[in-house]
């Protein structure tokens, strides 16, 4: 028995020795696994290399990357100026030397004008009683076919949509050579967002002929249009109380914004300052309850009134209190005629923005045709980089001096 135990012990020792040898060999010849790569050491070594190489490394290792771009005289286009690793990869990529010839060629003009289009109802009618796509005498409501044609026209004319809430902050993110356009809808007409019912999966069955139905269809066919719009609603929202929350959530989840048109479509020139705060504050409060912080603090002035900012009610449109609910309006829209100035223009006033009526009038009186014809003279044309403001040397005086990262050409 003793002998056998001893032999067993001996065998056991032998096995241990073999395991130890294998382990040492493994340590020596083991291939370097991904977990062995010290990202903090490896990643900075990509400085000076092409971003494609780093992109590949990032992809292979399932890392997050945060890219920033700048024009640079030393590093050619697409080369990495600087790169760091700190939980994710932070990289600064060169856009190469500024090519002012490209600006000239594309006629880049970031002090040009931006159209903020004003729509109301979208009506599916083939009854063309009025001029062009107008559904009523003044063209406040538009046929669904005309609205589809408008979107195609904007797209084909080199316009790309931006959010109103970005425009007022000076964020204009459209590609080089393209121009921004903003779409707005007032009044919360049912035909802006008409729900036909719910699909089996619980999602909304949206009428393809209503404004959002048409916008969503356009989005699928033209992903680069960056489809978005701001809807200015009243107490009845989209007049389908059963779907209030579903509709609002669909809008904010799909890149649209919801703003304030007062609870009762109030004419601010006919009410008291107390009532002003009620119709504005109550509407914000309602949106706040349904959407928390996901609505925009922007007002479309009903009837475009008051016409002057000097009106005694005006300060209460911007700032006020309703039953202890404080509000601050970031921007206010008028019923206007011509496109607005660039947010970088020293005359830019986000609290009194003009809009263009989306209607037809045979190319007269600031209808769609005349607005876009006039824009050919002074439209905003992007350099493709939202962090840089590229303007013509001759426009220097028009620039708001609070901005940095200016390139003159
Ligand atoms: Zn209205």
């Amino acid at each position: 028995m003793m002998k056998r135990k001893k032999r067993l012990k001996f065998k056991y020792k032998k096995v241990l020795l073999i395991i130890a040898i294998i382990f040492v060999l493994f340590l020596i010849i083991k291939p370097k696994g991904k977990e062995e790569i010290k990202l903090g050491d490896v990643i900075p070594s990509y400085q000076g290399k092409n971003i494609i190489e780093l992109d590949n490394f990032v992809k292979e290792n399932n890392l997050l990357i945060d890219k920033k771009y700048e024009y640079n005289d030393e590093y050619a286009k697409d080369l990495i100026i600087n790169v760091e690793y700190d939980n994710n990869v932070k990289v600064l990529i060169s856009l190469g030397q500024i090519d002012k010839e490209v600006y000239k060629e594309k006629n880049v003009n970031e002090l040009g004008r931006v159209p903020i289009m004003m729509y109301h109802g979208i009506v599916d009618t083939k009854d063309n009683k009025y001029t062009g796509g107008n559904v009523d005498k003044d063209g406040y409501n538009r046929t669904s076919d005309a609205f589809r044609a408008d979107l195609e026209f904007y797209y084909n004319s080199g316009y790309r949509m931006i959010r109103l809430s970005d425009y007022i902050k000076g964020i204009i993110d459209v590609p080089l050579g393209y121009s921004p356009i903003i779409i707005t809808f007032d009044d919360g007409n049912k035909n802006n967002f008409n729900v036909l019912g719910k699909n089996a999966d619980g999602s909304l069955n949206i009428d393809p002929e209503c404004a959002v139905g048409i916008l969503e269809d356009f989005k699928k066919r033209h992903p680069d249009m960056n489809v978005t719009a701001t809807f200015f609603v009243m107490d009845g929202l989209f007049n389908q109380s059963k779907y209030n929350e579903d509709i609002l959530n669909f809008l904010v989840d799909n890149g649209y914004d919801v703003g304030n048109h007062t609870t009762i479509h109030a004419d601010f020139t006919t009410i008291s300052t107390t009532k002003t705060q009620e119709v504005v504050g109550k509407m914000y409060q309602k949106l706040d309850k349904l959407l928390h912080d996901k609505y925009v603090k922007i007002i479309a002035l009903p009837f475009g009134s008051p016409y002057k900012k000097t009106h005694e009610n005006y300060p209460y449109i911007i700032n006020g209190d309703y039953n202890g609910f404080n509000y601050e309006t970031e921007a206010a829209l008028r019923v206007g005629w011509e496109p607005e100035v660039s947010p970088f223009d020293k005359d830019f006033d986000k609290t009194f923005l003009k809009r263009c009526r989306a209607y037809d009038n045979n190319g007269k009186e600031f209808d769609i045709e005349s607005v876009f014809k006039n824009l050919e003279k002074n439209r905003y044309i992007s350099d493709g980089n939202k962090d840089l403001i590229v303007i013509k040397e001759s426009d220097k005086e028009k620039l708001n001096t609070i901005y940095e990262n200016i390139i003159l050409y």
Side-chain angles (χ1 to χ4, degrees):
M1 276 309 271
M2 275 301 279
K3 248 189 174 172
R4 210 175 154 207
K5 243 190 187 168
K6 229 179 184 176
R7 214 181 291 140
L8 262 179
K9 222 178 173 181
F10 178 70
K11 254 192 177 169
Y12 182 61
K13 271 188 180 165
K14 218 173 164 182
V15 170
L16 266 182
L17 188 69
I18 292 167
I19 289 172
I21 290 168
I22 291 171
F23 182 69
V24 170
L25 280 173
F26 177 76
L27 279 184
I28 296 166
I29 62 166
K30 177 176 100 102
K32 271 195 177 164
K34 276 173 195 169
E35 67 279 9
E36 283 299 302
I37 298 170
K38 283 203 176 123
L39 294 168
D41 294 339
V42 174
I43 284 168
S45 71
Y46 280 87
Q47 192 197 341
K49 292 184 180 164
N50 194 294
I51 183 62
I52 295 171
E53 291 178 46
L54 182 62
D55 275 337
N56 289 336
F57 181 82
V58 162
K59 220 171 161 187
E60 279 165 23
N61 291 278
N62 271 322
L63 303 171
L64 291 172
I65 187 162
D66 174 13
K67 292 177 177 178
K68 284 202 165 58
Y69 296 84
E70 72 170 34
Y71 285 98
N72 193 291
D73 292 339
E74 278 173 58
Y75 291 81
K77 191 173 180 296
D78 295 330
L79 295 188
I80 294 168
I81 300 166
N82 187 45
V83 57
E84 286 167 29
Y85 181 74
D86 178 17
N87 290 320
N88 64 343
V89 181
K90 287 178 188 151
V91 61
L92 181 63
I93 305 155
S94 175
L95 292 167
Q97 281 187 331
I98 288 173
D99 189 350
K100 294 190 176 178
E101 286 308 309
V102 172
Y103 297 155
K104 268 184 213 154
E105 189 191 307
K106 299 281 182 188
N107 196 22
V108 170
N109 176 16
E110 298 197 320
L111 278 176
R113 286 188 175 255
V114 179
I116 307 173
M117 305 309 294
M118 179 182 74
Y119 286 91
H120 286 79
I122 299 298
V123 183
D124 180 26
T125 176
K126 308 287 176 239
D127 173 21
N128 297 329
K129 254 177 26 192
Y130 300 98
T131 311
N134 300 352
V135 175
D136 50 85
K137 194 172 134 284
D138 296 320
Y140 273 88
N141 296 299
R142 200 146 177 80
T143 69
S144 48
D145 280 347
F147 182 49
R148 278 192 194 89
D150 294 346
L151 297 177
E152 293 289 346
F153 170 72
Y154 304 147
Y155 183 80
N156 293 329
S157 307
Y159 288 85
R160 295 294 179 264
M161 293 185 195
I162 60 164
R163 293 177 105 122
L164 179 60
S165 54
D166 281 340
Y167 166 73
I168 62 170
K169 292 189 200 97
I171 302 169
I172 297 191
D173 197 2
V174 297
L176 169 68
Y178 286 83
S179 303
I181 185 169
I182 296 158
I183 306 290
T184 67
F185 280 88
D186 285 9
D187 297 354
N189 285 301
K190 189 168 180 256
N191 58 40
N192 286 181
F193 198 130
N194 187 30
V195 179
L196 300 176
K198 281 206 176 180
N199 299 314
D201 64 356
S203 61
L204 292 175
N205 180 8
I206 302 167
D207 181 356
E209 296 300 312
C210 76
V212 171
I214 292 168
L215 287 163
E216 284 296 292
D217 172 64
F218 195 86
K219 186 194 277 182
K220 275 184 212 134
R221 289 184 292 110
H222 301 292
D224 60 329
M225 182 54 154
N226 186 34
V227 167
T228 177
T230 306
F231 293 87
F232 292 95
V233 293
M234 297 182 282
D235 198 41
L237 301 172
F238 292 91
N239 299 300
Q240 296 146 93
S241 54
K242 204 171 136 187
Y243 299 116
N244 276 353
E245 276 179 67
D246 288 315
I247 292 175
L248 293 181
N249 283 314
F250 180 95
L251 289 172
V252 298
D253 289 345
N254 287 278
Y256 302 97
D257 287 311
V258 183
N260 190 334
H261 201 39
T262 76
T263 46
I264 55 163
H265 211 273
D267 181 345
F268 286 117
T269 57
T270 63
I271 58 175
S272 67
T273 53
T274 310
K275 187 76 179 166
T276 294
Q277 292 174 85
E278 183 193 317
V279 299
V280 174
K282 213 170 160 182
M283 193 62 235
Y284 277 136
Q285 198 177 30
K286 182 162 192 159
L287 292 174
D288 200 67
K289 207 174 141 200
L290 291 163
L291 283 171
H292 308 289
D293 54 357
K294 291 193 270 181
Y295 63 99
V296 293
K297 295 187 177 74
I298 304 175
I299 268 197
L301 301 169
F303 311 103
S305 157
Y307 298 143
K308 285 192 170 133
K309 278 178 76 173
T310 47
H311 192 277
E312 58 171 351
N313 279 338
Y314 189 80
Y316 298 96
I317 297 170
I318 298 303
N319 219 307
D321 176 279
Y322 167 68
N323 278 352
F325 183 84
N326 283 291
Y327 59 85
E328 209 165 317
T329 298
E330 287 173 15
L333 300 176
R334 304 149 80 185
V335 174
W337 50 101
E338 58 182 3
E340 253 305 336
V341 297
S342 158
F344 313 123
D345 191 298
K346 65 175 165 41
D347 292 332
F348 179 70
D349 179 2
K350 65 181 180 175
T351 62
F352 216 44
L353 296 167
K354 290 192 286 277
R355 287 187 286 176
C356 307
R357 256 171 74 191
Y359 83 122
D360 291 320
N361 195 7
N362 301 310
K364 291 181 308 204
E365 288 169 40
F366 300 101
D367 72 349
I368 296 177
E369 188 188 330
S370 71
V371 160
F372 283 83
K373 204 171 150 195
N374 284 331
L375 270 167
E376 287 312 307
K377 284 177 249 157
N378 56 12
R379 72 196 249 185
Y380 185 110
I381 299 176
S382 174
D383 70 320
N385 184 332
K386 68 174 169 44
D387 300 320
L388 283 182
I389 301 171
V390 178
I391 65 169
K392 294 174 184 179
E393 187 84 49
S394 54
D395 286 340
K396 212 165 54 183
E397 300 303 312
K398 276 166 64 185
L399 185 75
N400 184 333
T401 51
I402 65 161
Y403 287 100
E404 290 169 2
N405 294 333
I406 312 293
I407 291 174
L408 299 173
Y409 81 98

